[in-house]
Amino acid sequence: MEENLLRSLNELKAAIDGDFRVLAMLEAEKEMYQDETIVPLVQRKNAAEEDYELAIKIHGENSLEAKEKEKALYLAKKELDEHPSVKKYNDAFIVVRDIYMEIDDVIFSPFRKKTLGDVC
């Protein structure tokens, strides 16, 4: 039994690793990390994130300062997410994430505790 399970798991891993969608995601990730135009966008987003966190600590979450920093963070994140290399990676990642979620549901759903929503 244990050998069959191990063999099945290895076959599943090989199938996932060789899936064209996973390979496309890995290629998009590689391209994204090699794209030097992304570095300043990441730095801008990280700085905006730090500014926002600091504004919350100093002035509170509902302060005008925090709201302004939150908007700056949103715009920096939006600019990063709209970069073609990042968008290509994110789109590929979503497809692969959904595959992993489906596999997780098939394998582990029988072992999950039922919730009230599952009963109705």
Side-chain angles (χ1 to χ4, degrees):
M1 169 77 177
E2 204 170 300
E3 286 180 28
N4 287 338
L5 179 60
L6 187 57
R7 185 173 36 258
S8 295
L9 288 172
N10 285 330
E11 289 172 5
L12 176 61
K13 181 182 181 327
I16 291 169
D17 290 346
D19 186 277
F20 72 95
R21 295 162 292 191
V22 172
L23 296 173
M25 181 196 70
L26 294 173
E27 181 61 30
E29 181 180 42
K30 181 180 171 185
E31 290 174 16
M32 181 180 67
Y33 283 124
Q34 292 175 345
D35 189 336
E36 295 176 7
T37 64
I38 294 175
V39 173
L41 299 176
V42 170
Q43 291 172 336
R44 193 172 312 132
K45 191 269 304 174
N46 289 345
E49 194 169 34
E50 290 174 12
D51 290 346
Y52 175 58
E53 290 172 2
L54 184 61
I56 289 174
K57 286 179 184 176
I58 294 173
H59 304 288
E61 191 171 342
N62 295 319
S63 68
L64 180 59
E65 293 83 355
K67 296 294 179 187
E68 289 172 356
K69 300 298 182 182
E70 182 180 31
K71 183 175 181 179
L73 173 57
Y74 167 80
L75 293 173
K77 177 83 168 93
K78 182 176 185 274
E79 185 179 10
L80 177 63
D81 288 343
E82 290 175 347
H83 187 284
S85 293
V86 175
K87 182 159 178 29
K88 181 179 178 183
Y89 169 75
N90 285 338
D91 290 346
F93 174 81
I94 289 168
V95 171
V96 172
R97 181 202 61 201
D98 290 347
I99 292 168
Y100 285 137
M101 288 173 62
E102 189 172 336
I103 291 169
D104 180 78
D105 283 344
V106 169
I107 294 173
F108 296 109
S109 65
F111 305 104
R112 291 198 179 103
K113 189 182 252 187
K114 299 291 183 208
T115 64
L116 184 57
D118 293 334
V119 176
C120 296

